[in-house]
Amino acid sequence: MLEAETQAELQRLQGTVDQVKDKLLNQWTGEPLEKYLDDVSKTHEDAIKKGQENMEALGNAYSALQEQAKTSKQTLQEKIDKLSVMKKNLEDMRLESQKIMMETEDKRGVLKTYQQKNNREKELLNTQKKHTRSKLEELEKAAEYFTDRMSLDFKKLDSERIHVVFTKIDPEDANRQYSFTIKVSDDYQVTDCEPPVEGLQEMVEKLNKTNHFSLFVINIRRKFREMVI
């Protein structure tokens, strides 16, 4: 019985093999095979064409990315260059600002020195004015004293100069005038004397040392009298 079943199974397998063989010989040869191969070929061509298109698209995309990267790199470099220029300009401005501040401090120092000098000069000038005013007051007092007693006439020419005129010196001409002009500033200066008096410079130096104007007037009048005696 087992042998009969085995024989039957072999027959079934043989039938299946024959069917496959018939299908391969009839369906996969001749026109069906050519059609199948054409379809496969077309499919391959389409796939290749699509692949080429995809590769071309990818190539274009890659080129675009490269160009974009190049442009971005160029733009970045331009920004870096601009930032470098701005940084340099800021540094130049900082240095210029420091220079201006130093110059300003120097000018402030010079101005302060000038102001201090100017203040000292003002103080000195005020002192000189007070001294001159004091001398002029003394001269005015002396003028009042000598006008009646020594036939003197004092004429104030300006803020610093006084013209002193003597009369009644020449016995032969009582109206004859003897005069000198004295300038009062830091010191006394006789700017003119008519007629000239011998030793006048020494007399003025003594006057500046002693500040005794009354004695100077008496001595110069004595010099004028000596000319006519």
Side-chain angles (χ1 to χ4, degrees), residues 47-78:
I48 291 171
K49 183 178 180 180
K50 187 174 182 179
Q52 289 176 340
E53 291 176 352
N54 290 337
M55 288 180 64
E56 184 177 356
L58 289 173
N60 292 334
Y62 179 74
S63 298
L65 288 173
Q66 280 187 321
E67 187 64 27
Q68 184 178 359
K70 181 180 179 182
T71 303
S72 299
K73 184 177 180 181
Q74 183 178 357
T75 302
L76 179 61
Q77 186 61 46
E78 289 176 355

Side-chain angles (χ1 to χ4, degrees), residues 14-159:
Q14 183 64 44
T16 301
V17 169
D18 291 340
Q19 289 177 1
V20 172
K21 182 178 180 181
D22 179 67
K23 188 175 182 178
L24 288 173
L25 291 174
N26 294 325
Q27 295 183 8
W28 294 101
T29 58
E31 184 177 347
L33 180 59
E34 290 180 1
K35 185 176 182 303
Y36 173 76
L37 293 175
D38 289 340
D39 291 341
V40 171
S41 177
K42 185 177 180 181
T43 302
H44 286 176
E45 289 177 356
D46 292 340
I48 291 171
K49 183 178 180 180
K50 187 174 182 179
Q52 289 176 340
E53 291 176 352
N54 290 337
M55 288 180 64
E56 184 177 356
L58 289 173
N60 292 334
Y62 179 74
S63 298
L65 288 173
Q66 280 187 321
E67 187 64 27
Q68 184 178 359
K70 181 180 179 182
T71 303
S72 299
K73 184 177 180 181
Q74 183 178 357
T75 302
L76 179 61
Q77 186 61 46
E78 289 176 355
K79 290 182 179 180
I80 292 174
D81 293 340
K82 287 182 180 179
L83 288 174
S84 297
V85 172
M86 291 176 63
K87 184 177 180 181
K88 184 179 183 303
N89 290 338
L90 287 173
E91 181 64 17
D92 292 342
M93 290 174 64
R94 186 184 68 81
L95 294 175
E96 184 66 20
S97 177
Q98 287 183 346
K99 181 180 178 182
I100 292 173
M101 290 178 63
M102 292 177 64
E103 290 178 351
T104 301
E105 288 298 322
D106 291 341
K107 290 179 180 179
R108 285 178 180 173
V110 172
L111 179 60
K112 184 177 181 180
T113 301
Y114 174 78
Q115 288 176 338
Q116 291 175 346
K117 181 180 179 181
N118 188 44
N119 290 336
R120 288 195 297 269
E121 291 178 350
K122 283 183 178 180
E123 292 176 0
L124 179 61
L125 181 61
N126 290 333
T127 301
Q128 292 174 348
K129 285 182 178 179
K130 290 179 182 178
H131 185 58
T132 300
R133 191 181 302 115
S134 176
K135 288 183 177 180
L136 288 174
E137 290 174 356
E138 290 183 11
L139 292 178
E140 289 173 355
K141 291 179 182 179
E144 293 175 0
Y145 177 80
F146 288 114
T147 296
D148 297 331
R149 292 170 176 74
M150 301 181 66
S151 299
L152 287 178
D153 184 20
F154 285 80
K155 295 180 181 179
K156 191 174 182 179
L157 303 180
D158 52 39
S159 61

Side-chain angles (χ1 to χ4, degrees), residues 188 190 197-208:
Y188 293 101
V190 175
V197 171
E198 184 179 355
L200 179 61
Q201 184 61 37
E202 288 77 8
M203 295 171 64
V204 173
E205 291 175 359
K206 184 176 181 180
L207 170 61
N208 284 314

Side-chain angles (χ1 to χ4, degrees), residues 1-17:
M1 186 175 180
L2 181 60
E3 183 177 352
E5 291 178 358
T6 302
Q7 187 66 32
E9 183 66 26
L10 288 173
Q11 289 177 353
R12 283 196 299 271
L13 288 174
Q14 183 64 44
T16 301
V17 169

